[in-house]
Amino acid sequence: MEEFIQATAFGLLIGGVYALFASGLTLIFGVMKVINIAHGALLILGAFIAFTLWDQFGIDPLLSILIVTPLMFVLGGVIYVGTVRPLRDAPLSSTVLLTFGLALVFEAIMGLVWGNNSNSARPSYFNQSYDLLGITLPKAQVFACAIAIVVLVALWMFLSRTWTGRAIRASSTNAQGASLVGVNIAGVSALTFAVGVATVGAAGSMVSVLYPFLPGSHYIWIARVLSIIVLGGLGSLQGAVIGALILGLAEVYTQTYISTAWATAVPYVVIFLVLFFRPQGLMGTRLREDVAV
């Protein structure tokens, strides 16, 4: 029983961090119907920036979120204006190809700047843990999950308590309707893309502490994050949180009770089974065209 509680606690900590990783991607898709394949590369870029701030200036990687997030917000705005906006009304496949190309460009830039060696920040608390009623909780995971919860709550409050946030949600639900009541869809799209990239920048700071990374790591992360938002329902922030917790728990349970060799495969089998019975995801909504098919 103690082993199960230990695995559950660790799975929830990992899932909480995954939720932040996926929040920006599902937010961008919800408003713009753009699948940002560069999301994984931007996550690794955020990790490299946080790693550099820790390595060169001694800034704690988790505290560097306060620096990395605004930088990535600005970068998101630049990416949107320079590349995504011209294709805003193009078919989904066009933006997928565009963002995949951006991912390759960012991978090449990171390789040139930081090299292709594996990196990982190791602050003083990296190997320390809390002992809570016999349950061991690594400090790095606890801190990262706590920060992820704070960021997600702040994002939720922004979306639900501010006029701009309500405009984003209205655009996500019905863009034409939102436009009719005066919402500037182009402006909302730009802001949403920048916010999405900012959140992945915050997530990148956590990656720099929790996982080893190199420029090519973005392939692993985009696959994982896409799985989360597909499982939760594309465009649903709540769905992304639920999907992230399920994936985190599935990974840890697999490592604990089956084998670490199956830790990557088994969770995806679970996702396939869920989508077999509910193709729109756990919190997704079936569209009229989906029903017709």
Side-chain angles (χ1 to χ4, degrees):
M1 187 62 183
E2 184 176 320
E3 185 181 53
F4 175 76
I5 296 174
Q6 174 73 64
T8 302
F10 196 61
L12 291 175
L13 289 176
I14 292 177
V17 175
Y18 283 176
L20 179 61
F21 291 6
S23 61
L25 186 61
T26 200
L27 186 65
I28 290 172
F29 181 85
V31 173
M32 304 169 59
K33 302 300 179 274
V34 169
I35 298 178
N36 182 18
I37 302 298
H39 193 80
L42 292 167
L43 178 72
I44 299 302
L45 177 61
F48 269 118
I49 295 174
F51 174 79
T52 302
L53 291 172
W54 171 76
D55 186 53
Q56 299 295 322
F57 304 103
I59 299 176
D60 187 281
L62 297 181
L63 292 179
S64 70
I65 288 175
L66 298 174
I67 301 173
V68 177
T69 302
L71 288 176
M72 296 296 282
F73 179 85
V74 173
L75 177 62
V78 172
I79 293 173
Y80 176 81
V81 172
T83 62
V84 178
R85 186 171 63 181
L87 296 181
R88 194 159 54 91
D89 297 323
L92 180 63
S93 58
S94 299
T95 54
V96 168
L97 288 173
L98 167 69
T99 54
F100 178 67
L102 288 173
L104 297 179
V105 170
F106 280 118
E107 179 184 352
I109 293 173
M110 288 187 286
L112 288 172
V113 175
W114 286 284
N116 287 300
N117 299 318
S118 181
N119 298 277
S120 184
R122 292 291 183 266
S124 58
Y125 52 82
F126 177 77
N127 291 320
Q128 300 175 2
S129 61
Y130 294 111
D131 186 30
L132 182 63
L133 301 176
I135 305 301
T136 301
L137 300 174
K139 285 188 177 181
Q141 273 81 4
V142 171
F143 294 159
C145 185
I147 294 173
I149 292 172
V150 170
V151 175
L152 286 171
V153 169
L155 181 62
W156 175 78
M157 291 186 69
F158 167 69
L159 293 174
S160 60
R161 303 292 177 85
T162 66
W163 188 93
T164 305
R166 293 190 185 100
I168 291 175
R169 290 169 58 204
S171 302
S172 173
T173 304
N174 187 332
Q176 290 183 336
S179 179
L180 288 174
V181 297
V183 174
N184 182 348
I185 300 300
V188 166
S189 297
L191 177 63
T192 302
F193 196 90
V195 170
V197 174
T199 60
V200 81
S205 298
M206 298 176 187
V207 166
S208 70
V209 178
L210 300 179
Y211 304 95
F213 61 94
L214 67 164
S217 300
H218 70 94
Y219 295 108
I220 299 173
W221 283 109
I222 189 60
R224 183 171 285 156
V225 174
L226 277 174
S227 300
I228 290 171
I229 69 168
V230 169
L231 175 62
L234 288 167
S236 169
L237 188 59
Q238 298 93 330
V241 173
I242 294 172
L245 293 175
I246 291 175
L247 189 67
L249 288 170
E251 284 185 355
V252 176
Y253 286 152
T254 303
Q255 291 174 359
T256 305
Y257 296 110
I258 301 177
S259 169
T260 54
W262 288 92
T264 302
V266 170
Y268 290 104
V269 173
V270 175
I271 291 172
F272 291 150
L273 291 175
V274 171
L275 295 180
F276 181 80
F277 295 102
R278 192 172 171 79
Q280 70 272 34
L282 294 173
M283 299 294 288
T285 303
R286 299 192 73 177
L287 302 177
R288 185 182 304 170
E289 51 266 34
D290 298 331
V291 177
V293 172

